[in-house]
């Protein structure tokens, strides 16, 4: 699993229990996965189609640092399927794991669009080919 982003848990991220609000965490995951998919597929109109069951294993408190990790599971014709794990950087505990997130590329009319990708590409490799 490649951990791409670290976030600091701030007071506005907390629920009434004083722990990281689940909705806020899902927002962070959705944004991070969307950015990753858009960069991989090179199609700006890439949206969340599906997210598998979500199970909160542990949490984080104000001041903790969380890390969001993403791996590619497979490439479809118009989609990319990812897996995601979030962990507390300070305690090393897993907060949440999502087995399957499907992102779909769209054309100008909002219809699924073929992206032509079959494997992970890194920006450094794209730049060296040009």
């Amino acid at each position: 699993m490649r951990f791409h982003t670290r976030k600091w848990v701030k007071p506005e991220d907390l629920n009434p229990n004083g722990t990281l609000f689940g909705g806020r965490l899902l927002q962070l995951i959705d944004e991070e996965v969307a950015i990753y998919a858009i960069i991989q597929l090179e199609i700006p109109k890439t949206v969340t189609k599906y997210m598998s069951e979500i199970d909160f294993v542990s949490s984080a408190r104000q001041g903790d640092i969380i890390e969001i990790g993403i791996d590619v599971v497979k490439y479809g014709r118009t989609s990319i399927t990812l897996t995601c794990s979030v962990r507390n950087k300070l305690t090393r505990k897993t907060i949440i794991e999502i087995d399957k997130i499907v992102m779909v590329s769209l054309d100008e009319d909002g219809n699924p669009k073929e992206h032509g990708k079959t494997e992970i590409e890194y920006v450094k490799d794209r730049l060296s080919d040009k």
Side-chain angles (χ1 to χ4, degrees):
M1 177 83 46
R2 291 178 161 266
F3 286 84
H4 299 273
T5 299
R6 291 181 180 137
K7 297 286 185 181
W8 190 22
V9 179
K10 298 176 274 194
E12 59 267 25
D13 300 326
L14 303 178
N15 62 26
N17 188 45
T19 57
L20 180 59
F21 181 59
R24 175 68 174 133
L25 181 56
L26 292 174
Q27 178 187 7
L28 293 170
I29 291 169
D30 194 36
E31 182 177 348
E32 186 66 23
V33 169
I35 290 168
Y36 184 85
I38 288 165
I39 290 169
Q40 281 301 308
L41 303 178
E42 299 182 276
I43 298 176
K45 287 182 78 172
T46 299
V47 299
T48 308
K49 165 85 171 127
Y50 173 82
M51 208 178 267
S52 66
E53 182 177 294
I54 297 162
D55 183 21
F56 292 92
V57 180
S58 68
S59 192
R61 297 200 169 275
Q62 183 177 334
D64 285 351
I65 298 167
I66 61 169
E67 294 183 304
I68 302 171
I70 301 168
D71 267 338
V72 175
V73 175
K74 73 174 188 171
Y75 286 85
R77 200 173 45 80
T78 63
S79 66
I80 184 171
T81 302
L82 307 160
T83 185
C84 178
S85 180
V86 179
R87 66 185 179 193
N88 186 318
K89 179 74 173 164
L90 302 177
T91 66
R92 294 287 197 205
K93 289 184 180 177
T94 297
I95 297 172
I96 190 172
E97 289 188 350
I98 304 173
D99 292 331
K100 187 175 179 182
I101 303 171
V102 179
M103 304 297 290
V104 176
S105 297
L106 304 176
D107 64 17
E108 303 76 35
D109 298 320
N111 299 309
K113 175 182 179 173
E114 290 189 33
H115 51 69
K117 304 290 182 174
T118 58
E119 62 184 28
I120 296 172
E121 279 186 323
Y122 299 98
V123 173
K124 66 179 179 63
D125 297 329
R126 286 183 190 152
L127 295 175
S128 64
D129 291 344
K130 293 181 181 178

